[in-house]
Amino acid sequence: MIGDKKVLFSGMQATGNLTLGNYLGALKNWVKLSDEYECFYSVVDEHSITVRQDPAVLRKRSRALLTLYIAAGLDPEKNCIYYQSHVSAHAELAWILNCFTYMGELSRMTQFKDKSAKHADNINAGLFTYPVLMASDILLYQADVVPVGIDQRQHLEITRDIAQRFNSIYGEVFTIPDAYYGKAGAKIMSLQDPTKKMSKSDENPNGSIYLMDDPDTIIRKFKRAVTDSEAQILYREEQPGIHNLIDIYSVCTGKTPDEVVKEFDGRGYGDFKLAVGEAVVGQLKPLQEEAARIEKDKAYLDGIIKNNAEKAGYFANKTLRKVQKKVGFPERVR
Ligand code: ATP
Ligand code: LTN
């Protein structure tokens, strides 16, 4: 707890241009939760280098991601929005927790298996211990709740296991966090292959709507979206393409899937795709305008970056000092 509020932590990597999936599945939920909790939203740049990055591109994308957090509606005066690498406690706690995590546990992580298959020429130790850094992010702030997509479930479970293991040896040091999986938009699928999730690292740019796509591009991508030959707009698993479009339209408009089905009863796929495209354009336009406005105000953004890193550092160091003492590191001489 901070004051009378429970604590929320989440983060995203700046490894690509954010997609509609990241927005509807994660960011939009963050904004909804931000009044209820004391929130820490990090741009997890240290996680990003588990895969090789171009330094200039990573720096640019990290700033763009931080800007997007604010543009999406997270007030940086109320929510602590910061770069992970600006708070050294993350890396320091990760080292300690590495010594409380087993090789066997980490070997079972499906993300490690997937990413090491994809980057066979660079299976580095950081990729393997990625979940320990993630556990450190969460545990440093004594987070009660962590909103993520279903794909992060295993990482949340290992975080809880590490925290419980540490607590069972040293007493109640860490809060055990709960995952929060938003219902709406939990999994937005690729527009080109609706059996695969929309992903920022997809090679085919037509499968993903990027948050910075212009209206014409968005409409064109929806017009080309893969559907089926059933010629009826129904919300069922047998029609994954239409199912996905109904989900997207439903999250953008706040209507239930049943209401969407009724609204488009008897209409053609062309009409429906256009309506979904327009709904998405309507969602993204204010976000894009706001991001462009904030980006121009360098001094404002720099101030937020500095103040929030200090705020995050204050809370993170409180936990880190406690942990260092528990494991037996010598006290600092003042
Ligand atoms: P990558 O393609 O680089 O693996 P990604 O697009 O899957 O990236 P992440 O950075 O892993 O995105 O995820 C950021 C957040 O967005 C996570 O909470 C994740 O669960 C959520 N998310 C990612 N893709 C989708 C999607 N298609 N639908 C809903 N939520 C998503
Ligand atoms: N692994 C997450 C990003 C991430 C995260 C976190 C999410 C890093 N640290 C802490 C929640 C809490 C991802 O790839 N989506």
Side-chain angles (χ1 to χ4, degrees):
M1 302 286 275
I2 295 181
D4 58 355
K5 280 190 173 170
K6 287 194 168 178
V7 178
L8 179 156
F9 185 96
S10 201
M12 258 189 226
Q13 305 190 58
T15 41
N17 295 318
L18 285 214
T19 70
L20 188 65
N22 300 127
Y23 179 61
L24 300 181
L27 249 188
K28 213 175 164 190
N29 282 322
W30 292 6
V31 177
K32 271 191 242 150
L33 295 166
S34 65
D35 281 335
E36 203 181 321
Y37 294 91
E38 185 70 39
C39 300
F40 294 85
Y41 293 114
S42 188
V43 171
V44 290
D45 47 0
E46 291 177 328
H47 278 101
S48 305
I49 62 162
T50 52
V51 172
R52 209 62 81 217
Q53 304 289 339
D54 175 322
V57 174
L58 179 61
R59 211 176 337 267
K60 195 160 166 249
R61 282 188 176 152
S62 299
R63 192 161 170 111
L65 182 55
L66 193 126
T67 307
L68 262 181
Y69 284 4
I70 304 171
L74 296 171
D75 178 351
E77 307 286 339
K78 290 199 202 124
N79 302 281
C80 191
I81 292 173
Y82 72 100
Y83 295 126
Q84 182 187 35
S85 63
H86 285 191
V87 179
S88 58
H90 289 254
E92 292 181 72
L93 182 63
W95 171 255
I96 297 175
L97 295 184
N98 266 323
C99 304
F100 292 84
T101 309
Y102 300 115
M103 303 286 285
E105 286 177 301
L106 292 172
S107 315
R108 285 196 291 275
M109 296 292 122
T110 53
Q111 181 177 299
F112 171 69
K113 291 186 211 163
D114 292 349
K115 292 221 168 158
S116 43
K118 208 165 154 191
H119 305 278
D121 56 337
N122 182 21
I123 307 177
N124 60 72
L127 196 61
F128 190 63
T129 60
Y130 177 113
V132 184
L133 180 59
M134 178 158 163
S136 305
D137 298 341
I138 298 167
L139 300 177
L140 268 180
Y141 299 93
Q142 307 288 0
D144 296 281
V145 58
V146 184
V148 278
I150 295 284
D151 55 312
Q152 296 298 312
R153 170 175 278 158
Q154 254 192 336
H155 291 161
L156 255 296
E157 279 167 9
I158 196 173
T159 299
R160 290 166 59 93
D161 291 343
I162 296 169
Q164 271 154 353
R165 184 170 306 141
F166 195 93
N167 284 357
S168 71
I169 305 173
Y170 300 105
E172 294 305 302
V173 177
F174 294 125
T175 300
I176 309 298
D178 283 317
Y180 172 96
Y181 307 111
K183 282 183 286 318
K187 206 165 181 191
I188 302 297
M189 310 310 273
S190 158
L191 298 185
Q192 288 298 309
D193 177 358
T195 60
K196 242 177 50 188
K197 81 163 191 170
M198 186 182 285
S199 158
K200 54 179 142 68
S201 52
D202 194 339
E203 313 79 57
N204 182 353
N206 289 323
S208 302
I209 300 292
Y210 299 105
L211 298 189
M212 291 301 150
D213 278 348
D214 60 56
D216 290 347
T217 308
I218 294 174
I219 299 288
R220 180 176 48 78
K221 286 183 181 175
F222 275 105
K223 279 190 180 159
R224 283 198 199 166
V226 170
T227 48
D228 52 58
S229 51
E230 305 261 336
Q232 49 181 351
I233 298 168
L234 292 175
Y235 192 59
R236 48 189 199 135
E237 300 301 327
E238 297 87 330
Q239 292 178 257
I242 291 293
H243 191 282
N244 189 38
L245 293 178
I246 294 177
D247 277 336
I248 295 173
Y249 189 75
S250 151
V251 198
C252 290
T253 57
K255 295 176 185 165
T256 65
D258 281 349
E259 287 167 347
V260 181
V261 168
K262 279 201 198 93
E263 183 180 341
F264 289 93
D265 183 33
R267 312 248 304 263
Y269 283 1
D271 271 8
F272 181 49
K273 286 177 172 179
L274 189 63
V276 183
E278 281 169 353
V280 170
V281 169
Q283 280 274 300
L284 298 188
K285 199 161 170 261
L287 187 84
Q288 295 175 346
E289 287 169 357
E290 192 56 10
R293 191 186 65 75
I294 300 167
E295 199 183 82
K296 282 200 201 104
D297 199 344
K298 189 172 175 305
Y300 166 76
L301 209 51
D302 286 346
I304 299 290
I305 290 169
K306 182 167 179 289
N307 292 342
N308 278 333
E310 279 167 14
K311 179 175 167 192
Y314 169 79
F315 290 105
N317 279 311
K318 257 179 37 179
T319 303
L320 180 67
R321 297 290 169 253
K322 203 162 159 186
V323 170
Q324 289 173 327
K325 195 169 168 193
K326 289 284 185 187
V327 299
F329 293 169
E331 298 252 14
R332 283 157 197 258
V333 180
R334 288 176 201 283

